[in-house]
Amino acid sequence: MARPNDEVEALLQEYADLLSITGGDAFKVRSYEKAARAVGGHHEDVSTLGVAELKAIPGVGKSIAEKVAEYVRTGQVAAIEEARAKIPAGVRQLIAIPTLGPKKAAVLYEDLGISSVDELVEAIHSERLRGLKGFGPKTEENILHGVALMQQAGDRALLNVALELAEEITAALSRVTGCVRCAHAGSLRRFRETIGDVDVLAAAEDSAPLMEAFRALPFVAEVIASGQKKTSIRTTKGLQVDLRVVPLESWGAALQYFTGSKAHNIRTREMAVHAGLKLSEYGLFDAGTGELIVSETEEEVYDRLGLPWIAPPLREDRGEIEAARRAALPELVTEADLRGDLHTHTDLTDGVASLEEMVRAAAERGLAYYAITDHAPDMAMQRMSDEKMLAQREQVRALDGRHRRLRLLHGTELNIGPDGGVDWPEDFLRGFDVCVASVHSHFTQDRDTMTRRLLRAIENPCVHIIGHPTGRIIGRRPPIDVDLDAVFAACARTGTALEINSAPDRLDLCDEDILRAKRFGVKFAINSDAHSPVHLAFPRYGVGTAQRGWLTAEDVINTWPLRRLASFLRTKGASS
């Protein structure tokens, strides 16, 4: 289930949005936004903290701490309920539309009386927005795109939310007497970026104790259906979970079948038919006699079909069957392969933890190297300056070597401006160990302009990595319109790596783009983009996405030893 910190973060962010709609003080709005990020990134469970301990979280003052404590105690906050009551539910729904935002939602409600998504779509089609300042044809197009994005996301959960829930369930069921095996399956096992329903599979001779324990889990809000082989529940957060219990002897076939994908399973069943066999969730059978041939492990099932075991993230019918037949499946990158993290933030800019805290957390994760890459000055809200960045560099150099085996790199996340320029001149940038460059604004530029913009940044001799390359936020902001093939070709030619940003709401590049970029010979960096110590665990999601993109450790620069990585980073500037 979602961490209490995540719930409180969402609540405080909602309050900030509500304040913005009602014309609240801008400083107060920013305070709640900052507090939301701080609570979300805090390492301790805020539901266990008192007001005094909550106040110790950076960015959380007395008033906010009391609201958090009130929510933990009662399940609601009076001030937030009052703010909600002032604004129709439909207007609050408008805030959720990607590309719209609270200020534009307020204008739509106050000037046109629009209080629902349907009313907004109708108003756009009837051109009623044309008279409003800031609502031209391009804005209308972006809003409609945002509505489609929101509707497409529907009730799907982000990968981290679904995975945390699945792991909690499998851990609980594994403790039930008689449970021999338990694992999650479905699209979650394949590391899809969003999940509709969570599939859990268990092996036991008697399913009754498992079904009873499943129905009794504390977060079950509704039992949708319950039977001997399958039970479906809905959690208090609205996510459906299906539990299937099979005999141990059927485990392998069932796990293969319920992992999917549908397209992959169609291919394996076709192979079975051509071999005179029948493949189902119960096993691999002789089609003529009905005799069970294999079913206990996935490896046995694939082997009997003449294939090596295929890793779940590859099972999308994107060439994995053919590669398996040729013994050409990639040895996929794993989380254990990662030696370092090349994109992280501290409280010098928009992180919520100090440099010392982030470095200590990186050391505890066993990293060999770790880059601090706070924002550069063109993001004015971060108030960065040359002096602040140089002072941080001295701090980084002083901390380097204090934690055994961990080497520190001083870097920055540059802003790719509307014309492709970056924050600092080349002579200043050469003082950094690593430079990540990302698009943080002007997301709606046309395709040609955006392509030229990225290409100029890629050509910059001091830019080593393009961060979150498409700028998308899953379910909230669409990817930029850019000629990715031109970007991939330029990265391969200049030796500029592309980031796989592991934040669960980004996962950018996505798996399909990774597959395309790999064909150009691009190198990648799987980074956390951590803004708190908690976020340093995000690369597990980036690795899953990289696996779906068929990447090996060789493709990922932060799996390399530091000496090789440093040579790669130096080569970019030397060859330009």
Side-chain angles (χ1 to χ4, degrees), residues 73-115:
R73 187 174 66 253
T74 68
Q76 62 180 22
V77 178
I80 297 177
E81 293 301 318
E82 290 173 11
R84 285 172 174 164
K86 294 177 182 177
I87 305 168
V91 177
R92 299 201 301 272
Q93 191 182 58
L94 295 181
I95 305 172
I97 299 174
T99 74
L100 187 58
K103 291 184 179 178
K104 278 190 166 64
V107 170
L108 292 169
Y109 176 63
E110 292 167 1
D111 291 10
L112 297 178
I114 293 173
S115 59

mmCIF file of all heavy atoms in Angstrom, residues 73-115:
data_model
loop_
_atom_site.group_PDB
_atom_site.id
_atom_site.type_symbol
_atom_site.label_atom_id
_atom_site.label_comp_id
_atom_site.label_asym_id
_atom_site.label_seq_id
_atom_site.Cartn_x
_atom_site.Cartn_y
_atom_site.Cartn_z
ATOM 1 N N ARG A 73 -4.510 11.541 12.973
ATOM 2 C CA ARG A 73 -5.404 11.240 14.096
ATOM 3 C C ARG A 73 -6.848 11.013 13.663
ATOM 4 O O ARG A 73 -7.533 10.122 14.167
ATOM 5 C CB ARG A 73 -5.340 12.393 15.094
ATOM 6 C CG ARG A 73 -6.088 12.149 16.407
ATOM 7 C CD ARG A 73 -5.854 13.283 17.392
ATOM 8 N NE ARG A 73 -6.430 14.551 16.932
ATOM 9 C CZ ARG A 73 -5.711 15.568 16.474
ATOM 10 N NH1 ARG A 73 -4.388 15.475 16.410
ATOM 11 N NH2 ARG A 73 -6.294 16.681 16.074
ATOM 12 N N THR A 74 -7.337 11.797 12.689
ATOM 13 C CA THR A 74 -8.767 11.780 12.355
ATOM 14 C C THR A 74 -9.081 11.336 10.930
ATOM 15 O O THR A 74 -10.238 11.079 10.609
ATOM 16 C CB THR A 74 -9.366 13.184 12.549
ATOM 17 O OG1 THR A 74 -8.815 14.072 11.559
ATOM 18 C CG2 THR A 74 -9.056 13.720 13.947
ATOM 19 N N GLY A 75 -8.056 11.300 10.066
ATOM 20 C CA GLY A 75 -8.296 10.931 8.680
ATOM 21 C C GLY A 75 -8.697 12.091 7.794
ATOM 22 O O GLY A 75 -8.979 11.901 6.602
ATOM 23 N N GLN A 76 -8.733 13.295 8.358
ATOM 24 C CA GLN A 76 -9.027 14.481 7.560
ATOM 25 C C GLN A 76 -8.452 15.716 8.231
ATOM 26 O O GLN A 76 -7.993 15.654 9.371
ATOM 27 C CB GLN A 76 -10.535 14.647 7.353
ATOM 28 C CG GLN A 76 -11.323 14.845 8.638
ATOM 29 C CD GLN A 76 -12.818 15.001 8.361
ATOM 30 O OE1 GLN A 76 -13.317 14.578 7.333
ATOM 31 N NE2 GLN A 76 -13.530 15.613 9.289
ATOM 32 N N VAL A 77 -8.460 16.832 7.491
ATOM 33 C CA VAL A 77 -7.954 18.102 8.023
ATOM 34 C C VAL A 77 -9.044 19.144 7.810
ATOM 35 O O VAL A 77 -9.492 19.365 6.675
ATOM 36 C CB VAL A 77 -6.654 18.529 7.304
ATOM 37 C CG1 VAL A 77 -6.164 19.872 7.840
ATOM 38 C CG2 VAL A 77 -5.575 17.468 7.463
ATOM 39 N N ALA A 78 -9.468 19.769 8.886
ATOM 40 C CA ALA A 78 -10.600 20.701 8.815
ATOM 41 C C ALA A 78 -10.352 21.816 7.804
ATOM 42 O O ALA A 78 -11.247 22.149 7.005
ATOM 43 C CB ALA A 78 -10.862 21.290 10.204
ATOM 44 N N ALA A 79 -9.149 22.399 7.805
ATOM 45 C CA ALA A 79 -8.853 23.510 6.897
ATOM 46 C C ALA A 79 -8.936 23.064 5.448
ATOM 47 O O ALA A 79 -9.401 23.821 4.572
ATOM 48 C CB ALA A 79 -7.458 24.069 7.197
ATOM 49 N N ILE A 80 -8.493 21.846 5.165
ATOM 50 C CA ILE A 80 -8.539 21.347 3.792
ATOM 51 C C ILE A 80 -9.976 21.029 3.390
ATOM 52 O O ILE A 80 -10.395 21.295 2.256
ATOM 53 C CB ILE A 80 -7.622 20.118 3.642
ATOM 54 C CG1 ILE A 80 -6.166 20.524 3.903
ATOM 55 C CG2 ILE A 80 -7.765 19.486 2.264
ATOM 56 C CD1 ILE A 80 -5.167 19.394 3.852
ATOM 57 N N GLU A 81 -10.756 20.496 4.329
ATOM 58 C CA GLU A 81 -12.162 20.238 4.041
ATOM 59 C C GLU A 81 -12.893 21.538 3.748
ATOM 60 O O GLU A 81 -13.750 21.598 2.846
ATOM 61 C CB GLU A 81 -12.823 19.510 5.228
ATOM 62 C CG GLU A 81 -12.314 18.101 5.472
ATOM 63 C CD GLU A 81 -12.503 17.194 4.271
ATOM 64 O OE1 GLU A 81 -13.572 17.246 3.638
ATOM 65 O OE2 GLU A 81 -11.562 16.426 3.948
ATOM 66 N N GLU A 82 -12.569 22.606 4.484
ATOM 67 C CA GLU A 82 -13.186 23.911 4.240
ATOM 68 C C GLU A 82 -12.810 24.434 2.854
ATOM 69 O O GLU A 82 -13.656 24.982 2.134
ATOM 70 C CB GLU A 82 -12.741 24.902 5.315
ATOM 71 C CG GLU A 82 -13.309 24.615 6.699
ATOM 72 C CD GLU A 82 -12.699 25.512 7.756
ATOM 73 O OE1 GLU A 82 -11.993 26.485 7.386
ATOM 74 O OE2 GLU A 82 -12.919 25.248 8.953
ATOM 75 N N ALA A 83 -11.530 24.261 2.480
ATOM 76 C CA ALA A 83 -11.087 24.709 1.154
ATOM 77 C C ALA A 83 -11.777 23.918 0.055
ATOM 78 O O ALA A 83 -12.179 24.477 -0.975
ATOM 79 C CB ALA A 83 -9.573 24.572 1.041
ATOM 80 N N ARG A 84 -11.948 22.627 0.272
ATOM 81 C CA ARG A 84 -12.652 21.799 -0.719
ATOM 82 C C ARG A 84 -14.093 22.257 -0.880
ATOM 83 O O ARG A 84 -14.639 22.279 -1.986
ATOM 84 C CB ARG A 84 -12.621 20.329 -0.284
ATOM 85 C CG ARG A 84 -11.287 19.626 -0.469
ATOM 86 C CD ARG A 84 -11.318 18.250 0.180
ATOM 87 N NE ARG A 84 -10.112 17.464 -0.087
ATOM 88 C CZ ARG A 84 -9.764 16.391 0.597
ATOM 89 N NH1 ARG A 84 -10.519 15.960 1.606
ATOM 90 N NH2 ARG A 84 -8.653 15.744 0.286
ATOM 91 N N ALA A 85 -14.722 22.619 0.256
ATOM 92 C CA ALA A 85 -16.135 23.004 0.224
ATOM 93 C C ALA A 85 -16.359 24.287 -0.570
ATOM 94 O O ALA A 85 -17.454 24.519 -1.097
ATOM 95 C CB ALA A 85 -16.653 23.167 1.647
ATOM 96 N N LYS A 86 -15.327 25.123 -0.669
ATOM 97 C CA LYS A 86 -15.458 26.394 -1.384
ATOM 98 C C LYS A 86 -15.414 26.217 -2.902
ATOM 99 O O LYS A 86 -15.767 27.118 -3.650
ATOM 100 C CB LYS A 86 -14.343 27.353 -0.969
ATOM 101 C CG LYS A 86 -14.415 27.812 0.480
ATOM 102 C CD LYS A 86 -13.229 28.706 0.802
ATOM 103 C CE LYS A 86 -13.241 29.140 2.264
ATOM 104 N NZ LYS A 86 -12.035 29.960 2.597
ATOM 105 N N ILE A 87 -14.939 25.051 -3.339
ATOM 106 C CA ILE A 87 -14.709 24.836 -4.774
ATOM 107 C C ILE A 87 -15.491 23.608 -5.214
ATOM 108 O O ILE A 87 -15.357 22.543 -4.615
ATOM 109 C CB ILE A 87 -13.208 24.630 -5.059
ATOM 110 C CG1 ILE A 87 -12.407 25.817 -4.512
ATOM 111 C CG2 ILE A 87 -12.953 24.452 -6.536
ATOM 112 C CD1 ILE A 87 -10.929 25.590 -4.490
ATOM 113 N N PRO A 88 -16.316 23.733 -6.259
ATOM 114 C CA PRO A 88 -17.065 22.561 -6.737
ATOM 115 C C PRO A 88 -16.127 21.398 -7.070
ATOM 116 O O PRO A 88 -14.988 21.599 -7.514
ATOM 117 C CB PRO A 88 -17.757 23.081 -8.006
ATOM 118 C CG PRO A 88 -17.843 24.556 -7.812
ATOM 119 C CD PRO A 88 -16.612 24.937 -7.040
ATOM 120 N N ALA A 89 -16.638 20.196 -6.862
ATOM 121 C CA ALA A 89 -15.827 19.002 -7.111
ATOM 122 C C ALA A 89 -15.324 18.973 -8.545
ATOM 123 O O ALA A 89 -14.208 18.527 -8.819
ATOM 124 C CB ALA A 89 -16.644 17.751 -6.804
ATOM 125 N N GLY A 90 -16.145 19.459 -9.483
ATOM 126 C CA GLY A 90 -15.727 19.460 -10.883
ATOM 127 C C GLY A 90 -14.522 20.327 -11.133
ATOM 128 O O GLY A 90 -13.658 19.994 -11.953
ATOM 129 N N VAL A 91 -14.453 21.468 -10.430
ATOM 130 C CA VAL A 91 -13.289 22.335 -10.579
ATOM 131 C C VAL A 91 -12.053 21.653 -10.022
ATOM 132 O O VAL A 91 -10.962 21.732 -10.595
ATOM 133 C CB VAL A 91 -13.525 23.698 -9.891
ATOM 134 C CG1 VAL A 91 -12.281 24.569 -9.987
ATOM 135 C CG2 VAL A 91 -14.710 24.406 -10.505
ATOM 136 N N ARG A 92 -12.234 20.972 -8.900
ATOM 137 C CA ARG A 92 -11.092 20.232 -8.328
ATOM 138 C C ARG A 92 -10.637 19.145 -9.287
ATOM 139 O O ARG A 92 -9.462 18.818 -9.383
ATOM 140 C CB ARG A 92 -11.474 19.637 -6.968
ATOM 141 C CG ARG A 92 -11.862 20.678 -5.925
ATOM 142 C CD ARG A 92 -11.725 20.141 -4.514
ATOM 143 N NE ARG A 92 -12.534 18.966 -4.264
ATOM 144 C CZ ARG A 92 -13.801 18.995 -3.852
ATOM 145 N NH1 ARG A 92 -14.409 20.167 -3.677
ATOM 146 N NH2 ARG A 92 -14.473 17.885 -3.619
ATOM 147 N N GLN A 93 -11.603 18.604 -10.039
ATOM 148 C CA GLN A 93 -11.258 17.589 -11.039
ATOM 149 C C GLN A 93 -10.455 18.206 -12.174
ATOM 150 O O GLN A 93 -9.575 17.559 -12.748
ATOM 151 C CB GLN A 93 -12.544 16.950 -11.568
ATOM 152 C CG GLN A 93 -12.319 15.706 -12.422
ATOM 153 C CD GLN A 93 -13.617 15.145 -12.953
ATOM 154 O OE1 GLN A 93 -14.363 15.840 -13.637
ATOM 155 N NE2 GLN A 93 -13.895 13.884 -12.641
ATOM 156 N N LEU A 94 -10.739 19.468 -12.493
ATOM 157 C CA LEU A 94 -10.014 20.133 -13.568
ATOM 158 C C LEU A 94 -8.522 20.207 -13.274
ATOM 159 O O LEU A 94 -7.696 20.156 -14.180
ATOM 160 C CB LEU A 94 -10.560 21.549 -13.788
ATOM 161 C CG LEU A 94 -11.998 21.695 -14.279
ATOM 162 C CD1 LEU A 94 -12.338 23.166 -14.469
ATOM 163 C CD2 LEU A 94 -12.222 20.933 -15.568
ATOM 164 N N ILE A 95 -8.181 20.355 -11.981
ATOM 165 C CA ILE A 95 -6.766 20.470 -11.603
ATOM 166 C C ILE A 95 -5.987 19.243 -12.047
ATOM 167 O O ILE A 95 -4.797 19.323 -12.356
ATOM 168 C CB ILE A 95 -6.611 20.645 -10.076
ATOM 169 C CG1 ILE A 95 -7.423 21.841 -9.589
ATOM 170 C CG2 ILE A 95 -5.153 20.808 -9.688
ATOM 171 C CD1 ILE A 95 -7.459 21.952 -8.081
ATOM 172 N N ALA A 96 -6.671 18.119 -12.074
ATOM 173 C CA ALA A 96 -5.987 16.863 -12.396
ATOM 174 C C ALA A 96 -5.651 16.742 -13.879
ATOM 175 O O ALA A 96 -4.888 15.850 -14.266
ATOM 176 C CB ALA A 96 -6.848 15.674 -11.967
ATOM 177 N N ILE A 97 -6.190 17.631 -14.711
ATOM 178 C CA ILE A 97 -5.920 17.541 -16.146
ATOM 179 C C ILE A 97 -4.485 17.987 -16.414
ATOM 180 O O ILE A 97 -4.113 19.119 -16.083
ATOM 181 C CB ILE A 97 -6.888 18.432 -16.952
ATOM 182 C CG1 ILE A 97 -8.330 17.987 -16.738
ATOM 183 C CG2 ILE A 97 -6.536 18.387 -18.437
ATOM 184 C CD1 ILE A 97 -9.349 18.911 -17.388
ATOM 185 N N PRO A 98 -3.669 17.134 -16.991
ATOM 186 C CA PRO A 98 -2.311 17.542 -17.349
ATOM 187 C C PRO A 98 -2.343 18.778 -18.240
ATOM 188 O O PRO A 98 -3.216 18.903 -19.091
ATOM 189 C CB PRO A 98 -1.765 16.324 -18.096
ATOM 190 C CG PRO A 98 -2.593 15.175 -17.633
ATOM 191 C CD PRO A 98 -3.955 15.738 -17.359
ATOM 192 N N THR A 99 -1.410 19.667 -18.025
ATOM 193 C CA THR A 99 -1.213 20.914 -18.791
ATOM 194 C C THR A 99 -2.158 22.032 -18.376
ATOM 195 O O THR A 99 -2.025 23.143 -18.869
ATOM 196 C CB THR A 99 -1.357 20.731 -20.323
ATOM 197 O OG1 THR A 99 -2.737 20.564 -20.673
ATOM 198 C CG2 THR A 99 -0.563 19.535 -20.823
ATOM 199 N N LEU A 100 -3.113 21.791 -17.468
ATOM 200 C CA LEU A 100 -4.052 22.851 -17.110
ATOM 201 C C LEU A 100 -3.561 23.632 -15.896
ATOM 202 O O LEU A 100 -3.128 24.760 -15.987
ATOM 203 C CB LEU A 100 -5.443 22.282 -16.861
ATOM 204 C CG LEU A 100 -6.554 23.336 -16.645
ATOM 205 C CD1 LEU A 100 -6.648 24.262 -17.845
ATOM 206 C CD2 LEU A 100 -7.890 22.644 -16.414
ATOM 207 N N GLY A 101 -3.583 23.017 -14.722
ATOM 208 C CA GLY A 101 -3.073 23.698 -13.539
ATOM 209 C C GLY A 101 -4.130 24.508 -12.815
ATOM 210 O O GLY A 101 -5.172 24.865 -13.382
ATOM 211 N N PRO A 102 -3.890 24.836 -11.538
ATOM 212 C CA PRO A 102 -4.903 25.485 -10.701
ATOM 213 C C PRO A 102 -5.297 26.886 -11.157
ATOM 214 O O PRO A 102 -6.457 27.266 -11.052
ATOM 215 C CB PRO A 102 -4.249 25.509 -9.308
ATOM 216 C CG PRO A 102 -2.794 25.312 -9.537
ATOM 217 C CD PRO A 102 -2.682 24.490 -10.775
ATOM 218 N N LYS A 103 -4.361 27.679 -11.644
ATOM 219 C CA LYS A 103 -4.693 29.060 -12.020
ATOM 220 C C LYS A 103 -5.630 29.104 -13.219
ATOM 221 O O LYS A 103 -6.611 29.844 -13.238
ATOM 222 C CB LYS A 103 -3.419 29.845 -12.296
ATOM 223 C CG LYS A 103 -2.587 30.094 -11.040
ATOM 224 C CD LYS A 103 -1.370 30.949 -11.318
ATOM 225 C CE LYS A 103 -0.585 31.187 -10.029
ATOM 226 N NZ LYS A 103 0.646 31.989 -10.267
ATOM 227 N N LYS A 104 -5.336 28.299 -14.223
ATOM 228 C CA LYS A 104 -6.222 28.257 -15.397
ATOM 229 C C LYS A 104 -7.571 27.654 -15.021
ATOM 230 O O LYS A 104 -8.614 28.073 -15.548
ATOM 231 C CB LYS A 104 -5.562 27.459 -16.519
ATOM 232 C CG LYS A 104 -4.548 28.259 -17.346
ATOM 233 C CD LYS A 104 -4.112 27.483 -18.578
ATOM 234 C CE LYS A 104 -3.383 28.371 -19.579
ATOM 235 N NZ LYS A 104 -2.120 28.911 -19.081
ATOM 236 N N ALA A 105 -7.586 26.665 -14.122
ATOM 237 C CA ALA A 105 -8.851 26.086 -13.669
ATOM 238 C C ALA A 105 -9.712 27.156 -13.003
ATOM 239 O O ALA A 105 -10.937 27.206 -13.200
ATOM 240 C CB ALA A 105 -8.592 24.937 -12.706
ATOM 241 N N ALA A 106 -9.065 28.017 -12.211
ATOM 242 C CA ALA A 106 -9.795 29.091 -11.537
ATOM 243 C C ALA A 106 -10.404 30.059 -12.553
ATOM 244 O O ALA A 106 -11.557 30.486 -12.410
ATOM 245 C CB ALA A 106 -8.864 29.828 -10.586
ATOM 246 N N VAL A 107 -9.652 30.406 -13.599
ATOM 247 C CA VAL A 107 -10.151 31.322 -14.637
ATOM 248 C C VAL A 107 -11.358 30.710 -15.342
ATOM 249 O O VAL A 107 -12.377 31.378 -15.579
ATOM 250 C CB VAL A 107 -9.037 31.646 -15.655
ATOM 251 C CG1 VAL A 107 -9.601 32.394 -16.853
ATOM 252 C CG2 VAL A 107 -7.931 32.448 -14.992
ATOM 253 N N LEU A 108 -11.273 29.437 -15.673
ATOM 254 C CA LEU A 108 -12.368 28.763 -16.370
ATOM 255 C C LEU A 108 -13.638 28.771 -15.529
ATOM 256 O O LEU A 108 -14.746 28.974 -16.046
ATOM 257 C CB LEU A 108 -11.972 27.322 -16.706
ATOM 258 C CG LEU A 108 -10.867 27.155 -17.751
ATOM 259 C CD1 LEU A 108 -10.383 25.718 -17.792
ATOM 260 C CD2 LEU A 108 -11.372 27.588 -19.121
ATOM 261 N N TYR A 109 -13.481 28.565 -14.235
ATOM 262 C CA TYR A 109 -14.651 28.531 -13.351
ATOM 263 C C TYR A 109 -15.226 29.922 -13.141
ATOM 264 O O TYR A 109 -16.437 30.135 -13.258
ATOM 265 C CB TYR A 109 -14.262 27.915 -12.005
ATOM 266 C CG TYR A 109 -15.384 27.924 -10.994
ATOM 267 C CD1 TYR A 109 -16.547 27.209 -11.228
ATOM 268 C CD2 TYR A 109 -15.277 28.661 -9.815
ATOM 269 C CE1 TYR A 109 -17.591 27.207 -10.306
ATOM 270 C CE2 TYR A 109 -16.300 28.671 -8.892
ATOM 271 C CZ TYR A 109 -17.456 27.946 -9.143
ATOM 272 O OH TYR A 109 -18.488 27.962 -8.225
ATOM 273 N N GLU A 110 -14.351 30.877 -12.868
ATOM 274 C CA GLU A 110 -14.822 32.228 -12.546
ATOM 275 C C GLU A 110 -15.383 32.955 -13.771
ATOM 276 O O GLU A 110 -16.386 33.666 -13.677
ATOM 277 C CB GLU A 110 -13.679 33.032 -11.932
ATOM 278 C CG GLU A 110 -13.253 32.526 -10.562
ATOM 279 C CD GLU A 110 -11.936 33.127 -10.097
ATOM 280 O OE1 GLU A 110 -11.370 33.954 -10.847
ATOM 281 O OE2 GLU A 110 -11.481 32.769 -9.004
ATOM 282 N N ASP A 111 -14.763 32.780 -14.936
ATOM 283 C CA ASP A 111 -15.186 33.538 -16.114
ATOM 284 C C ASP A 111 -16.256 32.834 -16.946
ATOM 285 O O ASP A 111 -17.097 33.499 -17.560
ATOM 286 C CB ASP A 111 -13.976 33.829 -17.010
ATOM 287 C CG ASP A 111 -13.009 34.819 -16.372
ATOM 288 O OD1 ASP A 111 -13.173 35.125 -15.173
ATOM 289 O OD2 ASP A 111 -12.096 35.286 -17.070
ATOM 290 N N LEU A 112 -16.210 31.500 -16.969
ATOM 291 C CA LEU A 112 -17.149 30.770 -17.822
ATOM 292 C C LEU A 112 -18.051 29.810 -17.050
ATOM 293 O O LEU A 112 -18.917 29.165 -17.649
ATOM 294 C CB LEU A 112 -16.384 29.984 -18.906
ATOM 295 C CG LEU A 112 -15.566 30.809 -19.909
ATOM 296 C CD1 LEU A 112 -14.836 29.886 -20.879
ATOM 297 C CD2 LEU A 112 -16.456 31.784 -20.665
ATOM 298 N N GLY A 113 -17.814 29.672 -15.754
ATOM 299 C CA GLY A 113 -18.644 28.781 -14.952
ATOM 300 C C GLY A 113 -18.421 27.316 -15.236
ATOM 301 O O GLY A 113 -19.272 26.470 -14.938
ATOM 302 N N ILE A 114 -17.270 26.986 -15.799
ATOM 303 C CA ILE A 114 -16.964 25.587 -16.123
ATOM 304 C C ILE A 114 -16.571 24.849 -14.844
ATOM 305 O O ILE A 114 -15.646 25.252 -14.136
ATOM 306 C CB ILE A 114 -15.832 25.506 -17.162
ATOM 307 C CG1 ILE A 114 -16.321 26.073 -18.500
ATOM 308 C CG2 ILE A 114 -15.350 24.058 -17.336
ATOM 309 C CD1 ILE A 114 -15.235 26.197 -19.552
ATOM 310 N N SER A 115 -17.294 23.763 -14.545
ATOM 311 C CA SER A 115 -17.036 23.043 -13.298
ATOM 312 C C SER A 115 -16.979 21.534 -13.497
ATOM 313 O O SER A 115 -17.254 20.770 -12.582
ATOM 314 C CB SER A 115 -18.117 23.375 -12.257
ATOM 315 O OG SER A 115 -19.401 23.028 -12.746
#
